[in-house]
Amino acid sequence: MWEFPRTRYADCNGSEASEETEIAVNIGGVKHILYGDVLNRYPETRLAELVNRATGSTQDDLCALCDDYDDSKQEFYFDRDPEAFKCILELYCYGKIHMKRGICPMRFTREMDYWGIDAEYLDECCICSLNEVQTELAEIAEKVKTILDDLEDDATVTRGQRCQAFLWNLMEKPESSLAARVIAVVSFAFILLSSVVMCVGTIPELQVKDAKGNLVEHTTLESIDTACIIWFTVEYVLRLVSSSNKLRFVFSFMNIVDFLAIMPFYVVLILGAAQMELANVQQAVQALRILRIARIFKLARNSSGLQTLAVALKISLKELILMFTCMSVGIFLFSALGYTVEQSHPETMFTSIPQSFWWAITVMSTVGYGDIYPKTTLGRCNAAASVLCGIVAIALPVHLIINNFVIVYSKQRVLETTAKHEIELMALRAKEEEQECPEAAKMPSQASVDCSSVWDSTGATAQQSDRYIPYY
């Protein structure tokens, strides 16, 4: 029977003696002497189970928990990372585990699984790092799965579903084919053309008078705008028809923008055809035509930079709220002070506190139009203080927003690069397997069945790196 060595020691008064089980483990070439009472603080772990099997167990039973052992030294060997094991030992000493800087969170998670330790014992900062890595891996896996689904030809898919998927890729994914790229470029050109026409149409020299003597857009510009609207309408309808989830498509933000870009044209057309006898019909028409400004937001659909900016602003919501809160407090404070100190001047420009808000906004944002300005000494001191406070209130949150944009942009680039690398690696592995085993080529690919199978290629590498090769 295997027996662990026991250390006999006395208490501080030397009145009685006791024995403590000790175990010698070698982790990647680094030897550790561990004690049974310390390991039994967490009896569900691998080390505690190894200690508790000291009585009534054979060498084979004990060695099932390790990679190798030395019978003469009574020392257990584990081919694991010694640096990660130092973090594992913190659990028995402090009750929490903290990952050292430079250790891969996913690899450390596998180390914890090997030693039988739950992730709940991780420190809060380490849990945040682990969640970020898991989120990134899930995004990469989802992107790889999407690419594989586009490339794989499923025999169970009907002809109509295949045509729907082809049309969706044609209208929504410019990287899927050359025709999709051409459509994306044409759509981008129509967006720019419609925006230019909308701006040029407001120049008085290019406008003409209708039968009632009102200035309207030139007929040539109206024809160009109508052609753009027809393209936007056809594009929207094709994307709606090819969408697999119509309800989600309709209530998507970018699709709402697309609808607002084409809706004013048809509303104006209906009002003109109905010949409504209302005095304010023309004003309503002009108000609806203002919604054509929404077309400029369609550029975000084909611009990854604008999409990254939108995501960065979304995750910087707290910083933006902080900036607007500080600016609002400053505007209210300095406008009230400016109104108060300027009342003594006979030619004051600060007639009321609400009217002073405009002055405070232009001063704190360092724009300074000069249409309203203080004329007293105290008013100028108040203006100088408002300028300095405005610079601080804007500069501090903007730095955090810029950092968030850099993080999101870098993450997006890594996501795209990693997804392409995984596709190339999976194709290379499939080619090697086909050369080694021709029968495997007849079996259907399961790469696009679920999200976990996408990482088969990565999983093989991870399993190899999961074992630590010691250097003596």
Side-chain angles (χ1 to χ4, degrees):
M1 305 294 289
W2 184 281
E3 294 184 1
F4 288 108
R6 297 178 180 272
T7 301
R8 187 177 182 83
Y9 63 92
D11 61 4
C12 57
N13 298 323
S15 57
E16 62 181 62
S18 60
E19 292 184 349
E20 182 180 359
T21 304
E22 65 179 29
I23 178 175
V25 296
N26 191 306
I27 311 297
V30 180
K31 185 175 180 180
H32 300 269
I33 303 297
L34 308 177
Y35 295 95
D37 61 337
V38 176
L39 299 179
N40 281 322
R41 295 174 184 175
Y42 300 92
E44 70 278 2
T45 60
R46 179 184 289 263
L47 292 175
E49 185 178 359
L50 188 63
V51 172
N52 294 331
R53 287 190 181 184
T55 305
S57 299
T58 62
Q59 294 183 6
D60 295 336
D61 294 335
L62 294 175
C63 293
L65 300 173
C66 64
D67 295 321
D68 199 1
Y69 72 96
D70 190 333
D71 193 7
S72 60
K73 296 181 180 180
Q74 294 188 345
E75 184 175 339
F76 292 89
Y77 292 89
F78 295 88
D79 293 338
R80 314 300 299 185
D81 187 356
E83 294 299 325
F85 185 74
K86 292 179 182 179
C87 302
I88 297 294
L89 291 180
E90 292 183 2
L91 173 67
Y92 301 97
C93 299
Y94 309 112
K96 283 288 184 180
I97 298 179
H98 182 80
M99 289 186 297
K100 291 184 178 180
R101 186 181 299 274
I103 297 180
C104 175
M106 299 306 297
R107 182 174 180 178
F108 189 79
T109 302
R110 292 192 294 269
E111 290 287 333
M112 293 180 62
D113 293 339
Y114 178 81
W115 296 109
I117 300 174
D118 294 332
E120 62 183 11
Y121 294 110
L122 274 174
D123 229 345
E124 292 184 2
C125 60
C126 301
I127 292 178
C128 294
S129 301
L130 179 61
N131 291 337
E132 290 179 0
V133 174
Q134 289 177 341
T135 302
E136 292 179 2
L137 291 179
E139 292 177 356
I140 295 174
E142 183 65 25
K143 190 171 185 65
V144 173
K145 180 177 180 296
T146 302
I147 297 175
L148 291 177
D149 289 342
D150 295 338
L151 297 177
E152 187 170 306
D153 189 11
D154 193 354
T156 60
V157 177
T158 62
R159 184 175 180 180
Q161 293 175 341
R162 190 178 294 107
C163 293
Q164 183 181 10
F166 172 78
L167 187 60
W168 177 259
N169 293 334
L170 191 66
M171 304 302 298
E172 282 286 335
K173 299 179 180 180
E175 70 279 359
S176 61
S177 64
L178 179 60
R181 294 192 188 96
V182 172
I183 291 179
V185 172
V186 172
S187 178
F188 185 81
F190 270 107
I191 294 172
L192 291 181
L193 181 61
S194 64
S195 302
V196 171
V197 168
M198 182 185 66
C199 297
V200 173
T202 59
I203 300 177
E205 290 78 6
L206 298 180
Q207 293 179 340
V208 295
K209 292 184 178 181
D210 59 3
K212 297 181 180 181
N214 298 321
L215 291 177
V216 295
E217 288 185 357
H218 197 278
T219 54
T220 303
L221 297 179
E222 287 185 352
S223 301
I224 297 176
D225 187 68
T226 302
C228 295
I229 289 295
I230 293 174
W231 170 265
F232 295 149
T233 305
V234 172
E235 182 186 24
Y236 183 84
V237 171
L238 290 178
R239 291 172 51 246
L240 176 62
V241 170
S242 60
S243 175
S244 58
N245 191 336
K246 303 294 190 297
L247 186 63
R248 182 179 179 182
F249 176 89
V250 170
F251 289 101
S252 175
F253 174 75
M254 290 305 304
N255 295 324
I256 293 176
V257 170
D258 293 342
F259 179 76
L260 292 177
I262 61 177
M263 182 266 294
F265 175 82
Y266 294 102
V267 173
V268 171
L269 194 64
I270 293 174
L271 291 177
Q275 296 181 354
M276 300 177 62
E277 296 295 337
L278 296 176
N280 57 349
V281 167
Q282 188 66 25
Q283 296 179 356
V285 169
Q286 293 298 329
L288 288 172
R289 292 175 72 88
I290 293 177
L291 292 179
R292 294 187 299 173
I293 301 175
R295 298 177 190 176
I296 198 65
F297 292 103
K298 291 170 64 67
L299 293 175
R301 182 179 301 279
N302 300 321
S303 175
S304 59
L306 292 177
Q307 294 175 4
T308 303
L309 178 60
V311 175
L313 292 177
K314 183 178 179 180
I315 66 176
S316 303
L317 185 60
K318 292 183 179 179
E319 289 80 4
L320 291 173
I321 293 176
L322 174 62
M323 183 177 65
F324 286 122
T325 301
C326 295
M327 290 292 293
S328 301
V329 172
I331 290 170
F332 181 82
L333 175 63
F334 291 111
S335 61
L337 290 176
Y339 170 76
T340 302
V341 299
E342 287 291 313
Q343 287 303 300
S344 60
H345 198 280
E347 299 179 357
T348 179
M349 297 183 177
F350 296 80
T351 57
S352 66
I353 292 180
Q355 189 267 349
S356 302
F357 285 166
W358 170 249
W359 168 84
I361 291 174
T362 58
V363 170
M364 291 195 68
S365 60
T366 69
V367 176
Y369 285 112
D371 53 346
I372 302 176
Y373 55 89
K375 297 182 179 181
T376 63
T377 303
L378 290 178
R380 291 169 182 171
C381 293
N382 177 60
S386 63
V387 171
L388 296 177
C389 292
I391 293 174
V392 174
I394 294 176
L396 293 180
V398 164
H399 179 69
L400 299 176
I401 296 173
I402 293 174
N403 287 339
N404 290 336
F405 176 79
V406 172
I407 292 173
V408 172
Y409 183 77
S410 302
K411 180 180 177 181
Q412 185 68 22
R413 298 290 295 177
V414 170
L415 174 64
E416 295 176 359
T417 304
T418 306
K420 293 179 180 179
H421 173 72
E422 289 299 325
I423 294 296
E424 295 174 356
L425 184 60
M426 294 173 65
L428 181 61
R429 289 182 180 274
K431 185 176 181 180
E432 292 178 352
E433 293 177 357
E434 182 179 355
Q435 293 177 352
E436 294 177 359
C437 184
E439 301 84 23
K442 301 179 181 180
M443 300 179 63
S445 174
Q446 298 179 354
S448 62
V449 175
D450 55 12
C451 195
S452 60
S453 60
V454 173
W455 290 98
D456 289 343
S457 59
T458 309
T461 307
Q463 292 177 359
Q464 294 176 0
S465 61
D466 196 26
R467 300 183 63 84
Y468 182 80
I469 302 176
Y471 294 91
Y472 298 95

